[in-house]
Amino acid sequence: MAAKLLPVVKLATKVGIAGGAVYVAYDSGLLGGSEQGSEALQKARAAVPPAIEEWMKYFGLQTQLPTIPNIEFSPVQAWNSGVRWSISRLSEAPTKAGEMTTQGVQYVRELLK
Amino acid sequence: MSERELGRKLDRCLADGVIKLGTGLGLGIVFSVLFFKRHTWPISLGSGAGLGMAYSNCQNDLRSHYLLHRNQKVER
C-alpha cells in the first residue's frame, strides 16, 4: 500500500513545487508587462544590499562590505555619445590625414638631408 | 515619440528582458531538475520563452504610441 502510494506522493510533491514556482513568478509580476518587469528589477536591486547584510550577520561574518557604487548607465546615452564621437572623428579625418601626411613627408625629408 | 520617451521605453525593454530571461532560466532549471532528469533543453526552452516574451512586450510598448487607445476620446 505504502509502496504504491510513494510514487504518487513524489509526483504530487514535484507538481506542487513546480506549480508553486510558476505561481510565485506570476504573482510577483515577473511574467507580466514591461512596466511590471522593470518595477520588479528595481525592487530586487533595492533589496539585494540588506539581504547580503543579513546573510553576513547570520554566518557571523561582520566584515564591512565596500558599498556598491550607484552606477548610472543609460544605454541610450552611451549609444548617442558613441554616434556623436564617431561622426565627429569621421568629419575630422580628412584634415587629420592631410596633416599627418605633411608631417610624414617633412620627417622623411629631414632624414634624407 | 520624443527621444526621452523612446529612451525610457528602451530602458524598460532592457530591464524587462533581464527579468524575463532570469525568470525563464529559473523556471527552466526547476522543471529540468524535477521532471526532466537534469537535461539542458528545458533550461534553453525557458530562457528562449522568456526572451520572446520580453521581445513581444517591447514591440507592443513601442507600437502603442502610434495606436489609438480606447480611453482616448475621438474628436469630431
Side-chain angles (χ1 to χ4, degrees):
Chain A
M1 182 71 181
K4 281 184 185 175
L5 273 178
L6 189 63
V8 176
V9 167
K10 267 177 77 176
L11 181 66
T13 314
K14 286 181 181 181
V15 168
I17 293 171
V22 173
Y23 177 74
V24 163
Y26 171 74
D27 196 45
S28 47
L30 297 176
L31 299 173
S34 21
E35 285 189 14
Q36 288 176 318
S38 56
E39 266 177 39
L41 184 65
Q42 295 295 332
K43 278 188 215 166
R45 278 169 66 183
V48 158
I52 291 176
E53 264 190 55
E54 253 191 68
W55 277 100
M56 299 284 271
K57 278 184 199 167
Y58 182 74
F59 285 114
L61 303 164
Q62 296 289 342
T63 52
Q64 196 78 18
L65 271 179
T67 51
I68 301 162
N70 191 16
I71 302 164
E72 285 190 18
F73 176 72
S74 166
V76 175
Q77 292 287 344
W79 177 262
N80 286 348
S81 73
V83 169
R84 271 186 234 118
W85 182 87
S86 315
I87 298 296
S88 75
R89 287 289 173 266
L90 276 173
S91 70
E92 287 165 17
T95 323
K96 288 277 182 189
E99 282 172 16
M100 286 169 75
T101 316
T102 319
Q103 282 176 10
V105 163
Q106 265 184 353
Y107 177 73
V108 169
R109 273 189 195 157
E110 277 167 28
L111 274 181
L112 291 173
K113 270 184 190 172
Chain B
M1 203 189 311
S2 70
E3 228 184 82
R4 191 174 289 190
E5 197 186 333
L6 177 65
R8 258 188 255 130
K9 289 195 182 210
L10 288 176
D11 286 344
R12 236 179 2 233
C13 283
L14 274 178
D16 192 42
V18 168
I19 285 285
K20 296 262 185 324
L21 180 68
T23 307
L25 195 73
L27 287 177
I29 290 172
V30 166
F31 275 81
S32 167
V33 164
L34 288 176
F35 297 115
F36 299 109
K37 296 172 189 168
R38 296 180 193 184
H39 281 211
T40 328
W41 67 263
I43 301 171
S44 316
L45 182 67
S47 315
L51 275 178
M53 284 162 67
Y55 183 88
S56 172
N57 279 348
C58 190
Q59 198 173 42
N60 284 337
D61 202 10
L62 289 170
R63 279 181 184 170
S64 70
H65 181 79
Y66 301 103
L67 296 172
L68 190 65
H69 296 278
R70 197 176 287 200
N71 56 2
Q72 289 170 356
K73 285 184 187 174
V74 177
E75 290 173 21
R76 288 195 180 184

